[in-house]
Amino acid sequence: MPVIKVLFVTSEIAPLIKTGGLADVSGALPAALRTLNIDVRVLVPGYPQVMAQMGPSEVVATFNELPGFPPSRLIFSIMKTGVPLLVLDCPKLFSRDGGPYMDPETGHDWTDNPIRFGLLSKVAAVLSSDASPLSWHPDLVHGNDWQTGLIGVYLSVATGAVPNIITIHNLAFQGNFRPKKVKLLHLPPDCFSINGVELYGKMSFLKAGLYYAWHITTVSANYACEIQGDELGFGLQGLLQSRTKDITGILNGIDTSDWNSETDKYLPAHFSPTRMSGKAHNKQALQQRMGLQVDPAIPLLAVVSRLTHQKGLDLLLEIVPRLLDFPVQLVILGSGDAVMQQDARDLAQLYPGKVAVLIGFDEGLSHQIEAGADIFIMPSRFEPCGLNQFYSQRYGTPPVVHNTGGLADSVVDCTPETLKDGTASGFVFSGMTTDNLYATIQRAVDLYRDERKWKALRKNCMKKDFSWESSARAYREVYLKVLGRS
Ligand code: ADP
């Protein structure tokens, strides 16, 4: 089969720059696609973190005259995974301290985000058309989330444009701005309409992406259905319904070498389904590190998450005092909403030795928590795919999840039947109420006390295959279909 050349465009990529699941996907999926004879190159903004870590590199193009944008250049490098990287170096837009999207001083988005990600989209479109200065020409351009949403708009007026697809990792983030940006970004003047980039009077990067893409994918089959409904369509359900034939849900995989309990560099002890003693050691080390009472018998509940309304952790925080009666311990690693952060800190102060909270982002600790905890909690109100429920299952830490999006697609509720047939892998609840969450955690803790059943459940979790292989094959099918080759 001839090689397919794909330009994969993303605003974050692990391990160079990460705020969430998009980075994990961008770090792993291109590498998996390359094993399927797909020549993927990744275009990513040259944030300081990327520039500092990218390794040997060479400038392969300069863009001095893109209307509306400051000068930029393209730097070629190769990731440790072997994936070629095209770094968009534009110091005026990307060389600054802070997060990729947010000004840490104000806590608000960078005010020039439309120009920053407009440039990312513009350069992706240039590379995907006759105007490309590179000798490598993609057959298809694959954007991700709103930051790449204008690729299709720019391509709509380019010559030699290749097909473009977009993957939705979270429909709630849309990149909606005032209409005057249409002019600043030098978009075609007639594109500001319902048949274009307009969404309820704003100009919307994501709406544009969904409107102009040849095909849309999202990160679980369940979420692909949910976003076409009123509850989780975030105002885009009408457009998505009209494109229902062009939407495919593909569940994410995980990086199984980074998340391998037998080799994980962050873990104080390694373990496997047949040698579980290392897991107990991890629990002890985690209890020690987090200042929890060291007790192998008490169920240790855990959260690693952005602390936002989406993740539903307000429900968990509310029931902590009741949960501690079971008894259980709780460890939380996360950051986000200021009120939720404070509520979590208050609980840690109120219940020393029982509740431990670290506000911040800590990759190593996230691995230690997944390995050392007994039960992982993920009560997301909505969850396009979610990654931590994969990590926790792989590390023998059955998750408690809300019945939504990718959580529903990747966790099998533990019942006498599913435990017997070997499919049970966690605890799933429907109905976002504190009572439902409480009852489900109680169900998990009850099972934890039954050593034989708990061992069986953990084993089921750890034997599941979450590698990227089958997901990458599903993306290849989409590429072939869009290119008319399937
Ligand atoms: P989302 O992308 O919505 O934040 P996902 O579950 O898809 O949620 O992915 C989140 C990723 O970010 C996971 O790899 C998770 O482990 C990681 N993560 C989230 N918060 C933290 C944190 N505070 N410290 C370390 N890793 C974190």
Side-chain angles (χ1 to χ4, degrees):
M1 191 176 292
V3 175
I4 308 173
K5 287 180 284 177
V6 174
L7 180 66
F8 188 92
V9 190
T10 180
S11 57
E12 47 185 279
I13 181 165
L16 305 183
I17 176 86
K18 168 169 166 175
T19 70
L22 170 62
D24 292 316
V25 175
S26 303
L29 173 60
L33 288 168
R34 287 183 73 82
T35 66
L36 299 178
N37 207 22
I38 298 176
D39 177 9
V40 193
R41 304 193 176 194
V42 178
L43 176 66
V44 64
Y47 314 110
Q49 299 90 331
V50 173
M51 301 296 284
Q53 295 177 76
M54 71 184 166
S57 61
E58 108 183 79
V59 176
V60 288
T62 52
F63 301 104
N64 289 326
E65 286 168 1
L66 295 178
F69 298 107
S72 61
R73 43 185 211 157
L74 211 52
I75 301 175
F76 181 86
S77 183
I78 297 190
M79 302 271 295
K80 287 209 176 86
T81 52
V83 173
L85 205 58
L86 293 162
V87 177
L88 178 56
D89 179 30
C90 180
K92 184 149 186 249
L93 298 183
F94 299 123
S95 178
R96 54 183 76 163
D97 293 337
Y101 316 120
M102 235 174 57
D103 180 346
E105 272 174 29
T106 63
H108 296 299
D109 288 347
W110 297 110
T111 51
D112 57 353
N113 272 351
I115 298 292
R116 297 171 79 228
F117 297 109
L119 177 68
L120 180 66
S121 299
K122 176 71 186 182
V123 168
V126 168
L127 300 180
S128 307
S129 66
D130 285 350
S132 176
L134 303 184
S135 55
W136 181 87
H137 292 280
D139 299 310
L140 180 146
V141 52
H142 181 170
N144 292 277
D145 275 350
W146 74 264
Q147 293 87 349
T148 64
L150 299 188
I151 295 174
V153 195
Y154 288 121
L155 283 178
S156 70
V157 288
T159 49
V162 302
N164 76 93
I165 72 166
I166 188 163
T167 297
I168 305 167
H169 298 264
N170 193 336
L171 195 71
F173 301 118
Q174 301 187 343
N176 297 338
F177 302 101
R178 273 181 275 175
K180 69 174 186 201
K181 301 291 180 199
V182 171
K183 225 176 184 173
L184 287 179
L185 290 162
H186 289 252
L187 295 170
D190 59 356
C191 74
F192 191 73
S193 85
I194 187 162
N195 295 315
V197 308
E198 194 240 322
L199 182 68
Y200 302 115
K202 295 263 181 80
M203 92 132 268
S204 171
F205 272 58
L206 186 62
K207 153 80 190 296
L210 302 178
Y211 183 81
Y212 288 91
W214 289 38
H215 199 90
I216 297 164
T217 74
T218 188
V219 289
S220 66
N222 196 24
Y223 193 61
C225 294
E226 289 173 341
I227 55 177
Q228 296 178 52
D230 289 346
E231 199 182 326
L232 293 179
F234 287 95
L236 288 162
Q237 61 271 35
L239 170 60
L240 290 165
Q241 281 160 22
S242 75
R243 302 218 53 190
T244 191
K245 286 200 307 297
D246 304 320
I247 302 176
T248 306
I250 303 173
L251 198 66
N252 286 335
I254 60 170
D255 188 323
T256 49
S257 55
D258 271 1
W259 290 92
N260 181 343
S261 60
E262 294 181 63
T263 55
D264 190 327
K265 64 178 180 205
Y266 295 115
L267 300 189
H270 292 136
F271 57 100
S272 70
T274 50
R275 268 189 317 108
M276 287 300 280
S277 58
K279 185 159 171 77
H281 190 107
N282 279 291
K283 178 171 178 178
Q284 185 190 14
L286 181 63
Q287 286 172 324
Q288 261 159 357
R289 174 172 176 181
M290 298 306 293
L292 295 167
Q293 252 161 24
V294 176
D295 178 350
I298 191 165
L300 175 49
L301 315 183
V303 169
V304 178
S305 180
R306 288 187 291 118
L307 301 180
T308 63
H309 184 74
Q310 177 199 336
K311 301 294 180 180
L313 294 164
D314 44 319
L315 296 193
L316 177 69
L317 297 179
E318 205 180 315
I319 59 173
V320 165
R322 286 162 69 199
L323 289 175
L324 294 179
D325 289 342
F326 281 161
V328 295
Q329 292 178 343
L330 172 65
V331 58
I332 297 178
L333 167 64
S335 63
D337 179 79
V339 174
M340 230 183 270
Q341 289 186 173
Q342 195 50 49
D343 288 350
R345 281 198 184 106
D346 289 348
L347 285 167
Q349 212 161 23
L350 204 58
Y351 302 107
K354 296 180 178 169
V355 177
V357 172
L358 197 139
I359 301 297
F361 195 95
D362 186 329
E363 184 73 25
L365 181 57
S366 76
H367 287 240
Q368 289 160 11
I369 290 176
E370 294 285 9
D374 295 304
I375 298 166
F376 199 83
I377 314 288
M378 240 176 138
S380 307
R381 290 190 163 81
F382 66 94
E383 193 60 80
C385 176
L387 291 171
N388 280 303
Q389 81 280 14
F390 293 128
Y391 302 148
S392 65
Q393 287 173 81
R394 192 159 158 80
Y395 279 17
T397 309
V400 168
V401 303
H402 180 217
N403 185 9
T404 186
L407 298 176
D409 282 354
S410 59
V411 180
V412 177
D413 189 40
C414 183
T415 63
E417 295 74 39
T418 57
L419 203 54
K420 200 164 166 205
D421 69 20
T423 57
S425 68
F427 303 86
V428 184
F429 71 97
S430 297
M432 269 307 276
T433 65
T434 47
D435 283 348
N436 290 342
L437 176 60
Y438 178 86
T440 310
I441 294 176
Q442 185 166 38
R443 200 151 61 82
V445 170
D446 285 347
L447 200 93
Y448 175 87
R449 297 208 183 98
D450 186 326
E451 203 176 320
R452 194 180 53 82
K453 287 186 182 161
W454 193 254
K455 273 189 181 156
L457 178 64
R458 276 199 320 205
K459 213 170 224 164
N460 291 349
C461 290
M462 293 181 80
K463 71 171 195 244
K464 286 176 82 166
D465 177 12
F466 296 124
S467 67
W468 268 103
E469 220 177 291
S470 65
S471 309
R473 270 200 297 273
Y475 277 101
R476 184 178 59 177
E477 286 310 306
V478 170
Y479 295 162
L480 289 170
K481 187 171 162 199
V482 169
L483 293 171
R485 296 194 204 160
S486 59

